[in-house]
Amino acid sequence: MSFPSFPLNNGMDMPGLGIGCWMGYVGKGEDPGVTKMVSDALKVGYRHIDTVSYRNERAVGIAIRESGIQREDIFVTTKLTSEDHGRVSEALQKSLGNLSLDYIDLFLMHWPQTLKDNGDAIQPNESPTFVDTWKDMENLLSTGKVKGIGVSNFSVKNLEVLLKEAKVVPAVNQVELHPLLPQLALLSFCSTQGIRLTAYTPLGKYKPVLIQHQFLQGIVESREKDGEPVTPSQGLLSWSAAKGIVVVPKCRDVERMKENMKYIRLTPAEISALDEIHKAHGMHRSVCGFHTKVRDGKTGQETGGCFGWTYEDLGWDMKEGGIIW
């Protein structure tokens, strides 16, 4: 069974499975491996490409042009960087040029914080705030250059702030999400607001603590006994999709791309088992490497955070060394 598409609050349908394109880069410029990866994905049937506005848009654009597939048959997501919060229209135009496209299906604010050109973050109440940036993004919808807008890495706390001022409800919120960080409260909130969640790192970066977990392996083994072989990746991606969550795993291997395209209809018991993984002591965690120590602008004390904002600024509460959104 293939992955379903999911409706967005703007009337569009979004393919439930995409290929994530942030794979790093080689030396200066863009990684030619990204072009090959996207080309391979399109050849085997992917029709959702998730990229970001620095380092790989040109590589993605080459693959799209060379694919011979009609533009309207490919759903393209790219993102506004934190450095471009004060120049939204210009950033969009640059992305369109990099991709060699006339429009983007979904344009996301990559992070809520604004970064100066030197990489320093401004404080949450300084201009441009993410509300200011969102209002500029709303104006893009009338240009025909974007079909939908959304956010990424937003917590319930910051979504509540945004929604009080927004004229347009974000179509999507893209976040880290997997059974070690299932985002159940965020999913519930977004569902009530009509915001579709997209999961980056839906495979938990293939960390052994997740892939080798007895609950996931139990699903794999029981399905194999029943004559319906399932891989750990298929189980994890299908777990997200069963909750209405779009997944954009990163993958260079063609055979694994094909493997990831198979949607497995998990039973309620199997879904519940994966829901339980993060509840064990020490299991609830982020697998991403963007966590750092930052200085709290209110107290001057060093504390945990990401890209210059504290966890409090981001709306992330820390428990047992993990992140609970």
Side-chain angles (χ1 to χ4, degrees):
M1 182 182 299
S2 59
F3 269 75
S5 292
F6 296 112
L8 302 182
N9 62 21
N10 60 4
M12 296 174 63
D13 281 335
M14 186 177 188
L17 172 70
I19 191 77
C21 298
W22 174 239
M23 304 295 286
Y25 66 108
V26 178
K28 295 182 179 180
E30 304 205 15
D31 186 351
V34 172
T35 297
K36 182 178 186 306
M37 177 183 68
V38 175
S39 294
D40 288 341
L42 291 171
K43 286 177 183 176
V44 300
Y46 283 70
R47 291 297 181 267
H48 176 186
I49 310 300
D50 184 88
T51 184
V52 68
S53 58
Y54 46 86
R55 294 180 179 161
N56 61 23
E57 280 181 336
R58 292 186 187 279
V60 170
I62 292 169
I64 292 174
R65 290 196 302 277
E66 293 180 349
S67 71
I69 299 170
Q70 293 294 314
R71 169 65 187 93
E72 59 269 23
D73 293 331
I74 304 175
F75 192 103
V76 178
T77 299
T78 194
K79 305 174 187 77
L80 175 78
T81 67
S82 290
E83 291 84 353
D84 285 333
H85 279 202
R87 44 180 183 252
V88 172
S89 181
E90 295 88 342
L92 172 63
Q93 200 57 48
K94 183 177 180 180
S95 288
L96 290 170
N98 288 340
L99 290 161
S100 294
L101 298 177
D102 294 326
Y103 69 91
I104 290 167
D105 296 275
L106 184 63
F107 194 45
L108 303 180
M109 190 189 314
H110 199 184
W111 285 85
Q113 60 267 55
T114 296
L115 298 183
K116 300 176 184 178
D117 288 337
N118 65 3
D120 292 340
I122 71 169
Q123 294 301 303
N125 60 346
E126 295 178 337
S127 181
T129 66
F130 58 74
V131 172
D132 296 329
T133 300
W134 182 253
K135 289 180 178 179
D136 287 341
M137 291 179 68
E138 289 178 333
N139 292 332
L140 299 177
L141 293 170
S142 63
T143 68
K145 296 178 180 180
V146 296
K147 289 191 173 183
I149 56 175
V151 296
S152 182
N153 296 299
F154 268 62
S155 62
V156 171
K157 172 185 174 179
N158 285 333
L159 281 172
E160 287 178 333
V161 172
L162 181 64
L163 291 173
K164 288 178 182 178
E165 302 287 340
K167 294 180 180 178
V168 177
V169 175
V172 164
N173 182 20
Q174 184 177 125
V175 298
E176 179 186 356
L177 192 153
H178 43 76
L180 299 177
L181 191 67
Q183 307 280 24
L184 299 178
L186 182 63
L187 173 60
S188 177
F189 177 83
C190 287
S191 295
T192 64
Q193 300 298 321
I195 301 170
R196 180 71 58 185
L197 278 189
T198 294
Y200 64 78
T201 61
L203 301 177
K205 291 194 174 181
Y206 232 69
K207 298 288 186 181
V209 68
L210 175 59
I211 298 302
Q212 297 174 10
H213 193 279
Q214 59 179 337
F215 291 172
L216 179 58
Q217 287 299 316
I219 293 171
V220 172
E221 292 168 7
S222 66
R223 292 287 182 131
E224 186 171 358
K225 289 180 181 177
D226 292 338
E228 185 188 10
V230 173
T231 68
S233 294
Q234 289 170 343
L236 291 173
L237 297 177
S238 297
W239 169 81
S240 286
K243 297 173 179 291
I245 299 165
V246 175
V247 290
V248 285
K250 303 172 182 66
C251 182
R252 290 185 186 270
D253 183 82
V254 175
E255 291 308 311
R256 184 167 291 178
M257 286 182 190
K258 293 177 182 177
E259 176 184 293
N260 288 347
M261 293 175 71
K262 184 179 180 181
Y263 173 67
I264 307 299
R265 194 177 295 279
L266 299 176
T267 67
E270 290 171 331
I271 294 170
S272 295
L274 297 181
D275 285 349
E276 294 292 315
I277 289 177
H278 78 111
K279 294 182 179 180
H281 180 75
M283 290 296 287
H284 190 100
R285 67 182 72 178
S286 166
V287 298
C288 293
F290 45 58
H291 302 275
T292 60
K293 291 290 186 179
V294 301
R295 196 163 297 282
D296 191 317
K298 299 175 184 177
T299 67
Q301 299 297 311
E302 195 174 64
T303 185
C306 300
F307 303 120
W309 276 21
T310 67
Y311 291 130
E312 182 180 355
D313 295 332
L314 290 162
W316 302 352
D317 293 328
M318 299 296 293
K319 295 182 180 179
E320 296 184 1
I323 299 173
I324 299 179
W325 289 24

